[in-house]
Structure formats: structure tokens, C-alpha cells
Amino acid sequence: NLSGTDLTDADLSGARLVGAILCSAVLTGANLHDAGLAGADLSGIDLQGSGLPTTFLQGFNLSRATLSNAKLLQADLTGTNLSDVIATRIDLSHAVLAHVDLGNANLSNANLSNADLSDTNLSNANLSNANLSNANL
């Protein structure tokens, strides 16, 4: 159980965190490239400025997470709960966000270019100054 643990700037690339409980953990600036996160509880996690390129987070609960400045380019987030996230300046370019709940999310200044947002809930999401060029809505 790593709930509330401070893992700021940790290099967790390739780490196997299968089933880990990371509720409200702080991973600001952490490198999670190719980390195994299957079944992990990530609700309320702080991933500001973290790198998760090409990460597979399908069906995860990331509600209330802080993802500002995170790099999730080409990540597969199909079916993920991202409601109420703070994700200003997040890079989700070329990401798969199909069937994702982004209700009440703050995505201001986010890069969603070339992202797949098909069947995504964007109710009350803040998309001010977001880049949606070539996104599939």
C-alpha cells in the first residue's frame, strides 16, 4: 500500500506496480515509462510533470488526479475515469481517449491534437485554449 507516499522525481520506468494502491500518492516529475500498472488504484494521484508516454491505462480510475504538465502522448486511456482531474497543459497528443469520462475536468491549455476522443464525456470540461487539431471527436 503506497497511499499518500511521496515518490517525487522517482524513476519507475519498467517497474511492476501491478495492483498497487497509489491513492493520493505524489509522483510529481516521476518517470513511469513502460511501468506495469495493471489493477493499480490511482485515484487522487499527483502526476504533475510526469512522463507516461505510450502507457496503457485502460479502465483505470484517475478521478480527482492532478495531471498538469504530464506527458501522456500516445497513451491508451480507453474507458478510464478522468472525471474532476486537473490536467492543465497536459500532453495527450495522439492518445486514445475513447469512452473516457472527462466530466468536470480542467484541460485548459492541454494538447489533444490527433487524440481519439470518440464517445468521450466532456460535460462541463474546461477546454479553454486546448489544442484539438485533428482530434477525433
Side-chain angles (χ1 to χ4, degrees):
N1 184 343
L2 298 170
S3 293
T5 303
D6 187 347
L7 297 168
T8 299
D9 296 323
D11 184 0
L12 299 171
S13 56
R16 295 294 161 236
L17 299 168
V18 175
I21 300 171
L22 293 161
C23 299
S24 302
V26 179
L27 282 89
T28 302
N31 179 0
L32 292 159
H33 182 71
D34 288 330
L37 296 166
D41 185 346
L42 306 176
S43 58
I45 196 166
D46 184 345
L47 290 167
Q48 290 184 74
S50 296
L52 292 99
T54 65
T55 301
F56 298 98
L57 294 171
Q58 303 100 324
F60 278 80
N61 179 10
L62 286 163
S63 63
R64 302 176 321 281
T66 303
L67 303 170
S68 296
N69 296 307
K71 292 162 185 55
L72 287 117
L73 49 153
Q74 298 179 354
D76 188 344
L77 298 158
T78 302
T80 298
N81 181 357
L82 290 167
S83 61
D84 300 298
V85 297
I86 300 170
T88 58
R89 296 176 304 283
I90 190 171
D91 187 350
L92 287 164
S93 56
H94 299 274
V96 179
L97 297 157
H99 310 287
V100 169
D101 184 357
L102 283 166
N104 299 307
N106 184 350
L107 295 164
S108 60
N109 298 298
N111 183 359
L112 294 159
S113 62
N114 299 293
D116 180 2
L117 294 159
S118 56
D119 295 316
T120 295
N121 174 18
L122 292 166
S123 312
N124 299 312
N126 178 354
L127 293 164
S128 60
N129 298 313
N131 178 357
L132 292 162
S133 62
N134 298 314
N136 178 14
L137 301 170

